[in-house]
Structure formats: C-alpha cells, structure tokens
Amino acid sequence: MNCRDTQNLLDGYGDGELDLVRTLDIERHLQECPGCTQIQRNNQELQAALKEPSLYFRAPTHLHKRLRGAARAALPDVPRYRVSLWRGASVAAASACAALLLWVLIALPARPAADDVLAQEVVSGHIRSLMANHLTDVPSSDHHTVKPWFDGKLDFAPPVTDLTKQGFPLVGGRLDYIGSKAVAAVVYQRRQHFINLFIWPSHDSAESSNKMMTRQGYNVIRWTQAGMSFWLVSDVNLSELQQFAEVVQNPS
Ligand SMILES: [Zn+2]
C-alpha cells in the first residue's frame, strides 16, 4: 500500500470502520512510513481534543423549545392533524374565512362595470371596422340614403343626420353587433379620422350627460338621449370628439 492510498483511508482507520485486511495493510505501512505515521498521530490528537467535555454546552431551555418547535413544524402535516383534529378544523375554517374576505376585497371592485364592458366592445367594433376595411355597408354622404337603409334591418330607427356643415361629413352606415345585439353604426369623418357613432335602444329612459373614457388609445363618449344609447369612438382628439357629441345632440 502506498502513501496516497493509506492517507485516503486514515479517517476510516481512526474510526475503526475498515475491514481486517485493510486495517493490517495500513498498520504495516505505518510501521515503515514516518510521514503517514505523523498524519495518523495528528488525527488521533484532533479526535481526542474534540472529545474534550469543556467544548460541550447544554442548550438553554428557550433554545431547546424553539428547536423542538421548528422540528415539529418541518414534519409532514398528517399525524399532527390527527392529534389535534379540532384545532386543525378551526384553522381551516379561519383560513377559508380569510380567503373569502380577500376575494370580496379584491374580486368585487375589480369586476368590470357594465359601462367598461360596453366601452371595450364599441372600441373593438371601431377597430374591427377599420382593420377589416368594412367601415360601411351603405357608403353614402346622404342621410336620405343612409337612414332608410337601416329600415327592416333593426327593430328601431336610428337618427342619422348630415353634419357636413359642422365639419363632420357623413360617410355611411353599417350594422354592427355590441353585446350580441344588432346595433346601428353611423360613420362620420373628421379630416383623415373616422368616427363610429353606435346607436341602440336604451333600457334607461332617463337622459344622461356625456361620459368620457379612453380605451386602447381611443376616445369614447357615451350618453343617453330620447330613449337611445349613443357611443362615440374615434382616435380624433377628445375636444373635437366632444364638439362632435354636442353637434349630434343638437343637430340644427
Ligand atoms: Zn506513507
């Protein structure tokens, strides 16, 4: 046995973990090799020093308790649950209550209002009309052509007025679907910008003033008038869209 093999096994030899053959091999090598003998002697001294009683302390009671608690917490849940079934049940009930409270606090205010859902739908309708190059079913700047086109296609008669004089020429009309209902989309133009005016019968008979929103970079204005809901969508700036809303509300 050479020095390297011997030194690799010295720890096991010192702890009495080697079989008889290897133990005899190492003892034979140690008798002939002062270097390995010195290493073996150092190991023995270190082992003896580590057994010195002054190195050991009894854990204080509070540390003892903390360690036992930590060890218990690290154990799997099942046996503890059996031991303290009722305590477990009450903890579960408290957790469920806390989860419910959290849901009420977080989920309910986050639920979108009807207006938000409709705003999203009219903006989608506006984008769809521009992307699909399907701005109008009846392209005409004449409200005497556009208004009768809706007859028989909808169960209401949307107001269609020509607002060219006011700077918003009529482009045409289109059927669209908002909230899975057929609605009228009357399209106007302001310079290079298109404005979709969505109209459908309102459930609310009360008139409402303008409500402004921005969705996905588009300005939206909605109001209720004469039993109809009106929703304007455009990338035209908000002040011009407000001006348009006033013109639609008071066309003469
Ligand atoms: Zn040696």
Side-chain angles (χ1 to χ4, degrees), residues 63-242:
L63 179 60
H64 196 75
K65 277 185 184 162
R66 255 174 59 194
L67 289 174
R68 279 174 70 103
R72 207 177 294 134
L75 286 171
D77 271 350
V78 181
R80 276 194 301 144
Y81 182 68
R82 280 202 200 109
V83 168
S84 55
L85 182 67
W86 284 108
R87 200 176 62 179
S90 64
V91 166
S95 303
C97 285
L100 183 67
L101 183 64
L102 203 63
W103 182 81
V104 166
L105 289 175
I106 291 170
L108 286 190
R111 205 170 57 176
D115 261 15
D116 285 334
V117 174
L118 285 174
Q120 194 54 56
E121 288 211 25
V122 295
V123 167
S124 297
H126 177 75
I127 294 170
R128 212 162 43 229
S129 72
L130 299 172
M131 279 174 67
N133 203 12
H134 182 201
L135 202 54
T136 53
D137 291 321
V138 51
S140 172
S141 57
D142 183 0
H143 67 284
H144 293 297
T145 305
V146 176
K147 187 169 169 52
W149 180 85
F150 285 109
D151 290 347
K153 298 183 179 72
L154 294 167
D155 56 3
F156 62 96
V160 180
T161 43
D162 185 4
L163 303 169
T164 307
K165 262 193 307 182
Q166 292 90 334
F168 299 94
L170 180 64
V171 175
R174 181 182 84 248
L175 272 186
D176 211 314
Y177 290 86
I178 301 293
S180 55
K181 274 188 294 193
V183 304
V186 186
V187 183
Y188 293 87
Q189 193 165 2
R190 178 70 161 184
R191 301 185 304 276
Q192 297 91 339
H193 306 275
F194 291 105
I195 303 170
N196 263 292
L197 171 57
F198 295 92
I199 308 167
W200 63 83
S202 170
H203 300 298
D204 195 354
S205 57
E207 312 242 314
S208 77
S209 53
N210 294 354
K211 185 175 172 186
M212 278 152 279
M213 294 158 254
T214 302
R215 294 286 182 283
Q216 292 169 254
Y218 292 97
N219 290 316
V220 178
I221 300 179
R222 61 142 292 185
W223 71 91
T224 306
Q225 186 182 18
M228 300 275 185
S229 278
F230 294 82
W231 288 74
L232 284 180
V233 191
S234 183
D235 60 346
V236 116
N237 67 62
L238 193 57
S239 67
E240 280 184 292
L241 201 61
Q242 276 177 292

Side-chain angles (χ1 to χ4, degrees), residues 2-4 6-7 29 33-37:
N2 60 30
C3 289
R4 202 185 62 188
T6 303
Q7 285 164 22
H29 180 84
C33 177
C36 289
T37 304

